[in-house]
């Protein structure tokens, strides 16, 4: 694999899939998954930002069910 200088999350997911061999208990990417802000939410929040998500709109209405948050959360869980 040849890693681009500035890979997208989609590219990282594709690389991870190519490097994963579940029958060998080998996974192409390790994301933090422990409970707590600094253990997983900090990463997920940064990832969600890259997917175009935001916590609130201009009227402070939560946007945690937006398509962007859904895409980021699904990527995090599935990768």
């Amino acid at each position: 694999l040849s890693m681009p200088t500035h890979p997208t999350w989609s590219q990282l997911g594709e690389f991870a899939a190519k490097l994963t061999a579940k029958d060998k208990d080998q996974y192409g990417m390790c994301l933090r998954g422990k409970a707590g802000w600094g253990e997983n939410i900090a990463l997920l929040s940064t990832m969600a930002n890259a997917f175009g998500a935001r916590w609130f709109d201009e009227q402070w209405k939560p946007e945690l069910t937006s398509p962007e948050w859904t895409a980021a959360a699904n990527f995090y869980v599935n990768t």
Side-chain angles (χ1 to χ4, degrees):
L1 301 175
S2 180
M3 181 67 70
T5 303
H6 301 286
T8 65
W9 281 108
S10 296
Q11 288 171 315
L12 293 174
E14 291 168 9
F15 293 150
K18 290 178 182 177
L19 295 169
T20 297
K22 291 183 181 181
D23 59 323
K24 297 178 183 176
D25 204 24
Q26 174 181 308
Y27 296 87
M29 186 181 292
C30 177
L31 300 172
R32 299 179 94 169
K34 292 172 63 179
W37 166 259
E39 301 296 341
N40 69 3
I41 299 301
L43 171 62
L44 180 57
S45 185
T46 300
M47 183 183 293
N49 185 51
F51 277 75
R54 54 189 189 168
W55 288 93
F56 301 96
D57 67 12
E58 289 78 9
Q59 288 74 44
W60 290 101
K61 180 181 173 187
E63 292 198 338
L64 297 172
T65 58
S66 70
E68 295 84 2
W69 264 106
T70 300
N74 283 331
F75 180 86
Y76 180 86
V77 170
N78 294 333
T79 302

